[in-house]
Amino acid sequence: MLAALVAKEKINLNLNIRTMEIFNKPSSRREMVKKVAATSFTLLVGNELLAKVSSAQLTGDNSLKGNINHSVCRWCYNSLSMDELCKSAKEMGITGIDLVGPKDWATVKKHGLTVALAEGAGKGIGQGFNHTQYHDELVKSYEDIIPKVAEAGFSQIICFSGNRNGLDDEQGIRNCVAGIKRLMPIAEKYKVTMVMELLNSKVDHADYHCDHTKWGVSVCDGVGSERFKLLYDIYHMQIMEGNVIDTIKKYHTYFSHYHTGGVPGRNEIDTTQELYYPAIMKAILDTGFKGYIAQEFIPKRKDILASLKQGVEICDV
């Protein structure tokens, strides 16, 4: 309605200007000045209202399409308190927080959000299931936390392969399978999925073993349970092997979670980097994926929340 009124005023203004040009009367000029002033005010108010309407449509949950479950990785926003991050995330339409340990679970839930991917077990990225000397400690750690994850109402916990430290690929796969299989009875009982992250070993995590999709898939096949899946980190796998969309199409049944990040640099996922995230998100949706996709880039801009909001909007296809 407002846009129609503004358009009508523009038409009337053009007609009146034409009339003034034809008759060129002083009275017409005075009337025209009044008309121009009134019309300018109408246009100004109208444009401001339209801007406010557009702004309102681009903020909050109503601006998102609802096709993707959005999450954000806690560690990328450590300059904010957990309360600040949760409040801001909720305002953007984000419903999950990634990589949150037990001490912060209550805060996340207080804001009406979920922990899309929990942490709080294991020995870190470098010491994982690929070395048998860690198995007993790792198994105890995950046996302790899996019931707590379920009790809190969450369904996924992260885990890692560990670094090679001279171990060949085949032995690493066998060792991971042996250790993780020990945890599948409790994971299946509590309906909690252990999710091994695919990381690059070229730039960020030298010597990490689960650095190619096929290696992770082999571990999944060996474990043979729906409660063990992979976290397909788009940033990491673009660095290691590229061919992101085809890989997602081929191996999507092995992926229960996704992370984003700009390549190179792991910064904003906008046009400053090489990946086109809308197409990647569409490919994920086309597989029927219903899980969470989390922003895991390190903002370079001063307004880190503006970068996060932009990332969510880019991925909201």
Side-chain angles (χ1 to χ4, degrees), residues 272-285:
T272 62
Q273 52 87 52
E274 68 193 32
L275 290 163
Y276 185 62
Y277 270 95
I280 296 171
M281 294 301 111
K282 186 178 184 302
I284 292 172
L285 288 180

Side-chain angles (χ1 to χ4, degrees), residues 263-311:
V263 182
R266 199 180 195 153
N267 304 123
E268 282 83 353
I269 60 171
D270 55 19
T271 56
T272 62
Q273 52 87 52
E274 68 193 32
L275 290 163
Y276 185 62
Y277 270 95
I280 296 171
M281 294 301 111
K282 186 178 184 302
I284 292 172
L285 288 180
D286 286 347
T287 69
F289 182 73
K290 301 298 183 185
Y292 275 85
I293 298 171
Q295 302 295 330
E296 197 187 22
F297 62 84
I298 303 168
K300 288 197 299 184
R301 302 189 188 102
K302 185 175 180 180
D303 189 343
I304 59 175
L305 290 175
S307 287
L308 175 58
K309 187 173 188 296
Q310 179 194 46

Side-chain angles (χ1 to χ4, degrees), residues 20-21 110 113-114 116 121 143 150 152 156 168 171 181 184 191 199 209 217 241 246 250 258 262 266 270 276 281 286:
M20 184 181 73
E21 289 173 348
K110 177 183 72 176
L113 305 178
T114 188
E143 282 179 340
Q156 296 197 127
D168 67 55
Q171 189 60 55
K181 270 190 169 183
M184 287 304 97
K191 296 181 173 58
L199 301 171
H209 217 151
V217 165
E241 57 193 23
D246 276 349
K250 185 174 182 179
Y258 290 88
R266 199 180 195 153
D270 55 19
Y276 185 62
M281 294 301 111
D286 286 347

Side-chain angles (χ1 to χ4, degrees), residues 146-147 150 183-193 225 227:
I146 285 173
L183 286 162
M184 287 304 97
I186 192 168
E188 290 165 359
K189 175 182 177 181
Y190 286 96
K191 296 181 173 58
V192 172
T193 302
S225 171
R227 291 299 167 185

Side-chain angles (χ1 to χ4, degrees), residues 130-177:
N130 64 338
H131 284 278
T132 56
Q133 66 263 37
Y134 303 132
H135 281 187
D136 288 346
E137 186 176 351
L138 289 170
V139 168
K140 184 180 185 307
S141 177
Y142 280 94
E143 282 179 340
D144 287 344
I145 202 168
I146 285 173
K148 296 174 184 175
V149 172
E151 184 180 358
F154 312 138
S155 62
Q156 296 197 127
I157 180 82
I158 195 167
C159 67
F160 301 99
S161 68
N163 292 346
R164 290 178 177 82
N165 292 325
L167 200 65
D168 67 55
D169 281 353
E170 291 303 317
Q171 189 60 55
I173 291 168
R174 287 193 293 271
N175 290 350
C176 281
V177 169

Side-chain angles (χ1 to χ4, degrees), residues 14-135:
N14 289 334
L15 289 173
N16 285 324
I17 290 172
R18 180 59 180 158
T19 302
M20 184 181 73
E21 289 173 348
I22 293 172
F23 292 101
N24 196 27
K25 294 180 179 180
S27 60
S28 297
R29 288 198 296 272
R30 285 194 297 271
E31 291 174 3
M32 184 53 56
V33 169
K34 293 179 182 179
K35 186 67 174 179
V36 168
T39 303
S40 297
F41 177 77
T42 301
L43 291 171
L44 177 61
V45 173
N47 287 335
E48 287 179 350
L49 288 173
L50 286 172
K52 288 179 180 179
V53 171
S54 297
S55 177
Q57 290 174 341
L58 292 174
T59 58
D61 294 356
N62 291 335
S63 69
L64 300 181
K65 297 180 175 67
N67 298 321
I68 287 179
N69 295 313
H70 296 278
S71 187
V72 56
C73 289
R74 167 64 178 133
W75 73 269
C76 300
Y77 299 87
N78 280 334
S79 62
L80 302 175
S81 70
M82 182 59 76
D83 273 307
E84 289 171 330
L85 177 59
C86 289
K87 181 177 182 295
S88 299
K90 188 171 184 178
E91 289 172 353
M92 297 177 196
I94 294 171
T95 57
I97 309 289
D98 269 34
L99 306 181
V100 180
K103 71 181 181 66
D104 290 315
W105 290 353
T107 303
V108 174
K109 294 175 73 173
K110 177 183 72 176
H111 288 274
L113 305 178
T114 188
V115 174
L117 182 62
E119 66 175 18
K123 295 173 63 61
I125 292 173
Q127 297 179 322
F129 288 95
N130 64 338
H131 284 278
T132 56
Q133 66 263 37
Y134 303 132
H135 281 187

